[in-house]
Amino acid sequence: MIKYLPTHEYIRVEGNEGYIGISPFAAKELGVVTYVDMPEEGDEVVAGEEFGAIESRKAASDLFSPVSGEVIEVNSALEDDPTLVNADPMKNWIIKVSISDPAELDALMNEAAYEASIK
Amino acid sequence: MENSEIKKTCLHDRHTALGAKMAPFAGFDMPIEYAGLDAEHQAVRTAVGVFDVSHMGEVIIEGPDAERFVNHIFTNDVTAISAGQILYGMMTYEDGGTVDDLLVYKVADDCYLLVINAANIDKDIEWILSAADGYNVAITDLCDAYGELAVQGPDAERILSAVTGVDLSQMGFYTFEMFDGEDASLPVVISRTGYTGEDGFEVYDTNERIVELWDALMASGVQPCGLGCRDTLRFEAGLPLYGDELTAEISPLESGLGMFVKLDKPEGFIGSDALKTQKEAGVKKKVVGLEIDSPATARHGFEVLDAEGVKVGEITTGYRSLTLGRNLAMALVDARCAALGTPLQVRIRKKTVPATIVKKRFYTTRYKK
């Protein structure tokens, strides 16, 4: 299952874990990604709150978490090559979290709703 | 600003047809990028690009007191130039803060063309009018009548000469020529000026003819460039942007623009007393260059700290430089930590990263003198 925030972050849910990244639309809008500012493993994230930032030459955008939980992994490959986000934003997630309240997922947009929102 | 109030340049339809990403800037709906910021930036550094800068403002000052009046409101000295030459400088408030930075084109002893920033048009015109008491001058606002293109890059001379039929090879840096236009009251102006650190030209003409020139440049394969790369290009060249490196609170001396401030003009200028005092006492803050030792970019408003973590200033502009591959910024900092090589820190969101003061002319400009 993949769900989205209106601010273009996605969460791909696998059991009670989720992979959070930015949508292909957002990656394209941003342009070549120059840096991803990520939290540390073990940090708490809160649904709707900022957990990091993603930068291109022209702008820095805050990253918002779709769910509450704990960061169990950061995608360290992005430290060496942030443009992986441009290459395949769905595959190259930014953080992996444990989901503390699965009910929060219900408030997020599904794929169809998200696609409609960026049309 | 309400949508209904947003202005469009004469090229708005062209921008949207090209699929440009548009955004409001200085009250105008302006193109930010077409092919992408990086490609446009590279086009200007290596070939040629064209910018719609029709949002810029043009004001004519003419009359028997024109020279004396322009010198009264302008930090540079127009008595030093002849007709056909251009000076860069600022208008300052009584306290030395900056009203705007601008180009002054000397058309004749009694006629000057001022080119001012779009964001400051209303404020500047009000300021100029309020300063004109007792001077025998006529002040004409041509901001809407003139469109403007900036053609920039090493191929600009060749392409623009071919497209206009005017041999621009002999035109010197910071000089211009005027031609009769289709509207007798609005001559065509071509100057060897720009805001990118490359050789290039700026063309002023009626909105209708600016559209024709744009179309001809497009047909010649010139890269259309948006305001996104206009900012990254001027930043690399260490050129100030009003609102970032110059404001009502930042004087030209604090911004490191003393060479454009002539404090020895016999009659002075508005702000010259304050600037003299500032110069004698030494400026308390300074715009500097910073090299940032982190992959994260320092943005406008981020805090600059000294080595002990005490706040000493703020970032004014920051980019990862495309041309130089370095992570750079300009910042306004306390003069006591403005020396080259001073180690500082920048707070980037939750992290604090090291930075060092470097020369702010990051890119070696390639003007054709």
Side-chain angles (χ1 to χ4, degrees), chain A residues 23-39:
Chain A
S23 73
F25 172 81
K28 187 161 175 287
E29 284 291 299
L30 203 53
V32 180
V33 175
T34 54
Y35 178 63
V36 187
D37 197 343
M38 293 181 283

Side-chain angles (χ1 to χ4, degrees), chain A residues 29 32 34-35 37-38 50 53 55-60 62, chain B residues 21 33 37-38 295-297 299 319-322 349-351:
Chain A
E29 284 291 299
V32 180
T34 54
Y35 178 63
D37 197 343
M38 293 181 283
E50 169 259 317
E55 299 188 352
S56 67
R57 204 175 309 283
K58 62 190 172 205
D62 286 337
Chain B
K21 185 177 293 178
E33 59 179 355
L37 190 157
D38 290 12
T297 311
R299 307 281 175 182
Y319 286 110
R320 171 167 293 277
S321 161
L322 182 62
R349 293 176 294 271
K350 289 170 190 158
K351 293 168 186 159

Side-chain angles (χ1 to χ4, degrees), chain B residues 229-297:
Chain B
C229 77
R230 187 167 159 83
D231 202 46
T232 55
L233 289 159
R234 70 90 192 167
F235 167 76
E236 285 184 344
L239 301 170
L241 172 64
Y242 191 88
D244 288 342
E245 287 78 30
L246 283 170
T247 68
E249 282 78 44
I250 306 176
S251 82
L253 300 183
E254 292 164 339
S255 197
L257 301 167
M259 65 181 290
F260 307 105
V261 180
K262 305 300 181 197
L263 293 172
D264 53 357
K265 288 197 284 188
E267 293 183 55
F269 57 89
I270 302 174
S272 60
D273 288 345
L275 290 171
K276 267 182 200 162
T277 306
Q278 212 174 72
K279 188 173 180 183
E280 279 157 17
V283 292
K284 294 195 171 57
K285 53 188 181 177
K286 253 175 138 169
V287 175
V288 296
L290 280 181
E291 178 141 20
I292 314 241
D293 185 14
S294 159
T297 311

